[in-house]
Amino acid sequence: MTVIRELLERRQITIYFVAMLLAAVMASLWPMSPGLIDWINPALAFMLYVTFLQVPIAQLGKALTQLRFLAVLLLANFCLIPLLVFALMPLLPDHTMLRLGVLLVLLAPCIDYVVTFAQLGRADARVLLAATPVLLIVQMLLLPVFLKLALGEQFGVYIKAGPFLDAFLFLILIPLLLAGATQYLAGKNRRWAQIQTGLGLAPVPATALVLFIVVAAVLRQLEPALDVLWRVLPVYVLFAFLAPIIGWMLARQARLAVPLRRAVAFSSATRNSLVVLPLALAIPGALPLLPAIILTQTLVELLAQLVYVRVLARWGQNEQE
């Protein structure tokens, strides 16, 4: 079981690209059911459930006693990275929907596969995993604030409270409570312990399933938005280059241990594209532009992770770890 899990985690980027390619081929050859888009949220909820299941929720308070690390992680993701995103906005055309898509995806730190990438990059993945519920809750609270600052009066036209509340309930609170209940039962019952162990293999396949559904559901609608992708690519590439440096420098100034610095760098650079997608789809007139913008960021990020797991693993290697 452990060998299979490690193999899935090592090959996850390949698995994700294969899932997206297979979905693209199938959507090109056969018409997909319009109802497929309704499966995005259930698939996301399952993905987050199995992700939270990896967090020892009963020991979450103890794991988060590294308050300095948590403070640096929050400062990087919710102060410095938003400043970077706002600084990149002038590089985009004066198009509200386009900017909204970029803001949605770049302002939200990842809470799922970043943990595995951090582990592959010799970061302290344990404390980053423990911090994932905090990152998700804080971003759901602050994302509307950041969007209001960026969009001004147009904020109310595009952003409604309902989708954010639904996302918090169905994508955060319920999966977190179910994961805690599963862990509790696993501690009391052998069968539930076996179920929890089996679900330990699920995070990578669950993420691949989400990517497959998203691409299969929206691919046919993306063609009118393809010219937009060239406008957002430079911003995504610049972000992928600058964000980990900002996270690393802040963590070094805070004198965190080297594995913790790498964790902050990975978190600063990796975004929550899959979780914000339902929020984007709830925006009036979202199709086809917003899914195209978000999926493009996902592709750029997965390619960047191939670099991060090699380059960030070398940062600070001459210091005491």
Side-chain angles (χ1 to χ4, degrees):
M1 192 78 72
T2 302
V3 173
I4 296 174
R5 178 174 175 174
E6 290 177 352
L7 179 63
L8 287 171
E9 291 178 347
R10 284 199 306 269
R11 303 297 182 190
Q12 63 180 309
I13 293 179
T14 302
I15 293 171
Y16 299 153
F17 275 117
V18 168
M20 288 188 286
L21 180 61
L22 181 60
V25 170
M26 291 180 63
S28 300
L29 295 177
W30 301 287
M32 295 290 108
S33 168
L36 189 60
I37 201 166
D38 296 331
W39 286 94
I40 294 177
N41 274 5
L44 271 173
F46 177 71
M47 181 192 77
L48 292 171
Y49 163 65
V50 295
T51 298
F52 290 150
L53 201 55
Q54 313 311 307
V55 182
I57 294 174
Q59 304 175 22
L60 186 58
K62 182 179 179 181
L64 293 178
T65 53
Q66 297 200 47
L67 294 180
R68 187 166 56 161
F69 166 76
L70 185 59
V72 171
L73 189 69
L74 294 176
L75 181 61
N77 277 301
F78 301 111
C79 290
L80 298 188
I81 294 303
L83 289 175
L84 170 63
V85 174
F86 292 157
L88 293 174
M89 285 299 101
L91 300 178
L92 293 171
D94 187 14
H95 188 295
T96 302
M97 187 68 79
L98 184 149
R99 293 190 173 200
L100 174 58
V102 173
L103 288 166
L104 270 173
V105 74
L106 292 187
L107 288 172
C110 182
I111 51 83
D112 39 63
Y113 57 58
V114 65
V115 177
T116 304
F117 291 134
Q119 185 173 6
L120 294 173
R122 297 174 59 198
D124 191 332
R126 182 187 62 85
V127 293
L128 188 56
L129 178 62
T132 54
V134 177
L135 285 176
L136 193 52
I137 291 170
V138 173
Q139 71 186 259
M140 286 298 164
L141 294 174
L142 290 184
L143 191 55
V145 177
F146 291 143
L147 294 176
K148 174 67 174 177
L149 290 173
L151 299 177
E153 295 179 357
Q154 294 176 313
F155 172 81
V157 176
Y158 295 100
I159 305 299
K160 306 298 180 185
F164 280 86
L165 294 176
D166 288 344
F168 180 82
L169 178 63
F170 294 108
L171 299 182
I172 302 174
L173 188 58
I174 291 178
L176 187 61
L177 292 175
L178 287 176
T182 303
Q183 291 180 6
Y184 174 79
L185 292 171
K188 302 289 185 180
N189 183 282
R190 182 178 178 183
R191 177 165 294 181
W192 276 101
Q194 293 173 336
I195 292 173
Q196 181 178 353
T197 301
L199 288 172
L201 300 177
V204 173
T207 304
L209 175 64
V210 172
L211 288 168
F212 177 89
I213 294 174
V214 169
V215 173
V218 305
L219 184 70
R220 285 291 184 95
Q221 305 176 65
L222 293 185
E223 291 183 11
L226 291 179
D227 62 323
V228 171
L229 305 187
W230 299 108
R231 301 187 180 192
V232 299
L233 270 176
V235 170
Y236 288 154
V237 172
L238 275 173
F239 180 90
F241 175 74
L242 294 173
I245 297 174
I246 290 172
W248 173 268
M249 295 297 292
L250 176 64
R252 188 169 71 174
Q253 288 296 315
R255 298 182 179 179
L256 295 182
V258 170
L260 295 177
R261 294 182 206 172
R262 295 184 186 129
V264 175
F266 269 101
S267 181
S268 299
T270 312
R271 303 290 89 189
N272 219 11
S273 56
L274 297 180
V275 175
V276 299
L277 185 60
L279 301 179
L281 292 174
I283 294 171
L287 293 172
L289 189 59
L290 292 190
I293 292 171
I294 292 173
L295 285 176
T296 301
Q297 191 277 334
T298 303
L299 292 171
V300 171
E301 180 173 276
L302 290 175
L303 292 173
Q305 294 297 336
L306 294 172
V307 179
Y308 294 159
V309 296
R310 290 166 174 80
V311 174
L312 296 187
R314 298 192 186 101
W315 287 6
Q317 63 183 355
N318 294 326
E319 303 178 41
Q320 183 68 33
E321 298 195 19

